[in-house]
Amino acid sequence: MPKEFRLGDPGEGIAEAEIVEVHVSAGDEVEEGDVVIIIETDKATTELPSPYAGEVASIEVDVGDVVQVGEVLMTFSDGEAPAQETEAEETEAEETEAEEPEAEEAEAEEAETEAEAEAAEPEEAAPARAQGDGDGPVPASPATRRLARELGVDLRAVEPSGPSGRVTAEDVRPAEEAPEERPEERPEERPAAQPLVAEAPQLPDFSQWGEIERVPLHGVRRSTARNMTISWTQIPYVTHFDVADVTDLEAFRTQQAAGEDANVTLMILVMKAVVAALKEFPRANASVDAESGEIVLKRYYNLGVATATEDGLIVPVVRDVDRLSVAELAAEVGRLTERARAHEVSRDDVRGGTFTITNTGPIGGTFFTPLIRFPEAAILGMGRSALEPVIDGDLDDYQVVARMRLPLSLSYDHRILDGADAARFLSFLADLLRQPEDFLLRV
């Protein structure tokens, strides 16, 4: 019997992956541990080693396919069975042949008894389960299990439509919408509040109005679409805006760029200032655990740096920013962004972030509302810094001066932070950036 190599569960709620490369063909001989397939999940590529040694019997996937956890990727030929096993099988076959007449009579009697019992009992819908007698866990992704818990649906009572008897989210929703399948539950016994599961309306046929082209979502773009949907639907967020005077900070940066630290950008200095602000406002460096009803405060500072690439947005994570010097931070950001643009980031490079910064300044724009990276609590947006006329002084004695000003946008999780918290955070950050001597001494 062929051995099946299935896509394992990578954890963290990931339920699917895209096939990027297939390194073998049917008939190839491989050793256990040889890399046979490369997949992409959550903006990172992963090499899948062969769990078996032997001949590849069949390849069940193609490059570009999106496969679910648990689906078969390829099969391996089992080869000839050892001689001892063959002899044992022959002995077992002989014993089975000798017992066949008696077994056939017993099966006939049992079938008659079952038919009589079915005729005597009222018809009852009993869903056919791929799980057998129900002793094992029901195959389903973490997201489907969470949806079933929210809707109060027993996964064992749901007819699976996924591969290998896997229950999907689409299977769970009809079960929740059919009260006749749960006669024991009366409307008055249901919880007072039920979660709303928004269904996307069906699109019209756009071709009736003109020529169209369909382009599939692949790789980074597909991952970005999924992650942004999670952010939008799971985090109640608000955006607060402010402006920082970075005139003196820009003068310091220019001096550094003229010296040895040529890679020191405004973004690097803002990252160091952000760490100081996060230490002052720890809830901006936290996450909400919705199941336990707790706030998870993180005592480390791993900052995500949103990076635009040809394939889409990738957010590599710079770890322990508080422990890096300005020069070390500039080197690490440069290394990670280069890897991101070359699509060479590993899965670990994009995991473990506590706060994210996205900078549209080099492209243009002032204020915007960045989406928070789930499950973080906030994200800082930087617009384009520019010289602006500023009135210095009071009504009795003032003058107009030119100052370099940086637009800032802070999107925050309103379950953790209030508007006053966000205002204080950005005000604190702006003060640090306005007085670089004090802030650089702190970091």
Side-chain angles (χ1 to χ4, degrees):
M1 181 178 179
K3 299 176 182 177
E4 296 180 336
F5 177 23
R6 298 176 179 269
L7 177 62
D9 186 354
E12 298 183 355
I14 297 174
E16 63 184 21
E18 180 178 346
I19 305 300
V20 178
E21 297 179 21
V22 180
H23 287 182
V24 294
S25 304
D28 289 352
E29 291 285 339
V30 300
E31 297 293 331
E32 181 178 348
D34 288 351
V35 175
V36 291
I37 288 180
I38 295 180
I39 62 172
E40 184 176 58
T41 61
D42 280 346
K43 308 177 184 177
T45 55
T46 302
E47 296 179 342
L48 298 185
S50 171
Y52 307 113
E55 180 181 333
V56 177
S58 66
I59 305 294
E60 304 296 331
V61 295
D62 292 322
V63 172
D65 287 354
V66 176
V67 296
Q68 304 294 315
V69 170
E71 287 190 33
V72 177
L73 304 176
M74 63 178 59
T75 62
F76 293 81
S77 175
D78 203 16
E80 297 182 358
Q84 294 180 352
E85 291 184 7
T86 304
E87 293 175 2
E89 289 175 358
E90 291 176 354
T91 303
E92 183 179 348
E94 293 174 359
E95 294 175 353
T96 302
E97 290 175 0
E99 295 173 357
E100 277 182 357
E102 298 178 2
E104 289 177 357
E105 293 178 5
E107 288 177 1
E109 294 177 1
E110 183 178 351
E112 291 177 3
T113 304
E114 290 180 357
E116 294 173 358
E118 290 177 358
E121 294 179 0
E123 293 186 1
E124 186 174 324
R129 301 298 298 154
Q131 291 87 342
D133 57 7
D135 292 337
V138 177
S141 69
T144 301
R145 295 182 187 280
R146 182 167 58 252
L147 177 62
R149 288 198 301 271
E150 293 173 352
L151 299 179
V153 174
D154 182 2
L155 288 177
R156 297 189 182 282
V158 178
E159 183 72 19
S161 65
S164 304
R166 188 180 187 86
V167 176
T168 67
E170 288 70 22
D171 301 329
V172 171
R173 293 190 182 101
E176 187 270 341
E177 294 168 358
E180 64 274 11
E181 294 182 11
R182 297 182 307 194
E184 75 284 353
E185 184 175 331
R186 301 178 183 275
E188 60 268 21
E189 295 173 351
R190 294 172 66 87
Q194 289 292 313
L196 298 178
V197 181
E199 295 287 350
Q202 185 174 2
L203 293 176
D205 179 9
F206 297 111
S207 62
Q208 63 182 308
W209 297 298
E211 183 180 353
I212 66 170
E213 178 185 2
R214 287 184 172 270
V215 180
L217 286 171
H218 282 313
V220 174
R221 179 54 57 192
R222 180 183 181 88
S223 178
T224 299
R226 180 174 60 247
N227 292 337
M228 292 300 97
T229 301
I230 292 173
S231 173
W232 182 264
T233 57
Q234 296 297 316
I235 302 176
Y237 84 96
V238 183
T239 306
H240 183 81
F241 307 103
D242 206 338
V243 179
D245 186 331
V246 294
T247 307
D248 295 340
L249 185 63
E250 178 62 15
F252 170 81
R253 188 199 69 79
T254 303
Q255 292 176 356
Q256 295 294 107
E260 297 179 357
D261 300 325
N263 293 326
V264 175
T265 63
L266 186 60
M267 174 78 166
I268 301 299
L269 299 176
V270 170
M271 290 177 70
K272 296 299 288 184
V274 162
V275 169
L278 291 175
K279 291 181 178 180
E280 190 73 17
F281 300 90
R283 289 198 176 191
N285 199 55
S287 293
V288 171
D289 187 335
E291 292 189 3
S292 68
E294 297 174 319
I295 297 174
V296 182
L297 298 173
K298 301 155 194 173
R299 307 301 185 189
Y300 53 94
Y301 305 92
N302 298 344
L303 302 190
V305 180
T307 305
T309 73
E310 293 181 355
D311 298 321
L313 190 67
I314 298 180
V315 187
V317 175
V318 183
R319 304 186 184 280
D320 300 320
V321 175
D322 57 321
R323 300 180 182 179
L324 300 177
S325 67
V326 170
E328 291 171 336
L329 178 58
E332 182 64 5
V333 169
R335 183 186 72 85
L336 285 173
T337 54
E338 285 181 8
R339 285 174 57 86
R341 293 190 177 105
H343 205 54
E344 296 176 350
V345 291
S346 67
R347 194 168 166 220
D348 286 338
D349 287 336
V350 296
R351 298 170 60 194
T354 63
F355 185 96
T356 297
I357 302 176
T358 177
N359 181 14
T360 65
I363 301 174
T366 53
F367 300 103
F368 57 104
T369 56
L371 282 180
I372 302 168
R373 291 185 73 215
F374 182 86
E376 296 172 12
I379 180 172
L380 179 71
M382 296 170 54
R384 170 177 286 178
S385 59
L387 278 175
E388 296 179 356
V390 176
I391 298 177
D392 186 20
D394 53 35
L395 286 174
D396 298 325
D397 184 16
Y398 64 86
Q399 60 178 341
V400 178
V401 296
R403 305 292 293 179
M404 183 71 73
R405 287 160 61 83
L406 173 66
L408 299 174
S409 306
L410 180 72
S411 292
Y412 58 94
D413 188 335
H414 214 330
R415 295 172 299 176
I416 304 179
L417 299 166
D418 295 328
D421 299 322
R424 293 188 185 100
F425 180 95
L426 275 192
S427 179
F428 182 86
L429 179 62
D431 285 342
L432 290 179
L433 298 177
R434 182 171 55 86
Q435 300 175 327
E437 299 85 0
D438 295 342
F439 122 69
L440 289 173
L441 288 175
R442 300 178 69 159
V443 297

